[in-house]
Amino acid sequence: MSLRIIFMGTPDFSVPTLQNLKQAGHEIVAVYTQPPRPAGRRGLDLTKSPVHQAAELLGIPVLTPLNFKAEEDRQTFRDFNADVAVVVAYGLLLPVAILEGTKLGCYNGHASLLPRWRGAAPIQRAIMAGDEKTGMIVMKMEKGLDTGPMALTKEVEITQAMTAGELHDKLMLVGARAMVEAMEKLEADDLPLTPQPEEGVLYAAKIDKAETRIDFSRSARDVHNHIRGLSPFPGAWFEVEINGKPERIKVLASAIGEGHGPAGQLLDDTLTVACGEGAVRLTRLQKAGGKPLDAGDFLRGTHLLKGTTLPVGAA
């Protein structure tokens, strides 16, 4: 036995779930993903999403509607006569007509321990807030934003050095396995649903460019969490004058350092920076247009010496 599944996803985070459901023997009758987007240096090339590319390799039909406002698109969805829709980072809010367009509804793989971090950027927000754990939840979708009842939870530890990129890669594999397990239980009519708690709701707003600048007036722990929560993308940064010109430096990794001083001041020649409380050591950096470098290699080409004060900024 297997389920007839419509899969809905877009980025690389979604791909392992699609692949694992296929490998588990389910019939993926269609894949929905975001339309190809402009790419390349001039933005003239249209690039298919990672899910689009994966689906084509698997020989699965791909649909890329801009939305589901047209009745024709809604009817096409219903005509697949699917048992269930599986949604992982699709990127569109689904109307009720789609949520109710399969026999068993839509199930979403969400990268947080709901109701904490509903919304667009749960991985980054969990690290930036200093959370010690997160996870993947499979929930049945309803009209609200990530408000549906929970079906399956898998917790994941967030270590103090883990970046958003590392957590992303771990969660996408945990989520793939969790969804396969959930669909097995659903097929066996053994997938109980639990309403989300009413307390503890937090929203993971999309990362805004204005909040990516490092504010060294904050505590070292907050600065460290800020850096790793935005690594590798979009990247936390500071600006410093080099050879008489202001230059933006992205910080991709850091550690809690030793020492104290005025916020933003370099305490040694190895990029330990004083914060509002404590100090943070910058361990991996990248100039605009350059490649990521460990601190030692970065300092060979960019002289930032003890006593230099970096702009405090506003994160």
Side-chain angles (χ1 to χ4, degrees), residues 15 18-19 49-60:
V15 171
L18 171 62
Q19 294 170 331
S49 75
V51 165
H52 194 146
Q53 297 176 51
E56 288 187 336
L57 289 174
L58 294 170
I60 303 170

Side-chain angles (χ1 to χ4, degrees), residues 32 52 74 98-99 119 133 140 148 150 162-163 167 169 188 213 215 225 241 252 258 274 276 285:
Y32 280 77
H52 194 146
R74 299 182 180 198
I98 298 301
L99 296 176
K133 66 179 180 179
K140 188 170 186 181
M150 302 177 294
M162 184 177 280
T163 65
L167 183 56
D169 291 351
R213 184 167 185 166
D215 184 358
N225 292 342
E241 191 170 291
L252 300 175
E258 296 182 356
L285 305 95

Side-chain angles (χ1 to χ4, degrees), residues 232-255:
F233 182 83
W237 59 276
F238 64 88
E239 193 171 76
V240 66
E241 191 170 291
I242 299 175
N243 297 325
K245 296 180 180 180
E247 187 161 351
R248 181 177 293 195
I249 307 296
K250 186 184 292 187
V251 184
L252 300 175
S254 60

Side-chain angles (χ1 to χ4, degrees), residues 31-108:
V31 164
Y32 280 77
T33 189
Q34 290 287 297
R37 304 295 189 192
R41 183 169 295 180
R42 298 183 180 180
L44 300 177
D45 301 322
L46 291 179
T47 300
K48 297 175 180 177
S49 75
V51 165
H52 194 146
Q53 297 176 51
E56 288 187 336
L57 289 174
L58 294 170
I60 303 170
V62 178
L63 295 92
T64 59
L66 289 173
N67 53 54
F68 289 96
K69 293 180 179 179
E71 178 56 32
E72 179 181 358
D73 289 330
R74 299 182 180 198
Q75 188 59 50
T76 297
F77 186 91
R78 291 190 290 264
D79 286 345
F80 283 111
N81 195 31
D83 295 312
V84 63
V86 169
V87 184
V88 181
Y90 179 35
L92 280 182
L93 288 175
L94 300 181
V96 172
I98 298 301
L99 296 176
E100 297 177 352
T102 64
K103 298 173 185 176
L104 301 173
C106 296
Y107 284 80
N108 176 232

Side-chain angles (χ1 to χ4, degrees), residues 258-270:
E258 296 182 356
H260 57 85
Q265 186 177 81
L266 291 177
L267 301 178
D268 54 29
D269 294 331
T270 60

Side-chain angles (χ1 to χ4, degrees), residues 14 20 25 28 52 66 69 78 90 92 103 116 146 152 166 168 176 182 184-185 199 205 232 248 252 272 298 313 315:
S14 316
N20 283 22
I28 314 298
H52 194 146
L66 289 173
K69 293 180 179 179
R78 291 190 290 264
Y90 179 35
L92 280 182
K103 298 173 185 176
R116 186 175 179 85
D146 299 330
L152 199 68
E166 292 166 342
H168 167 283
E184 181 181 341
K185 290 177 177 291
E199 295 183 356
R248 181 177 293 195
L252 300 175
T272 301
F298 177 85

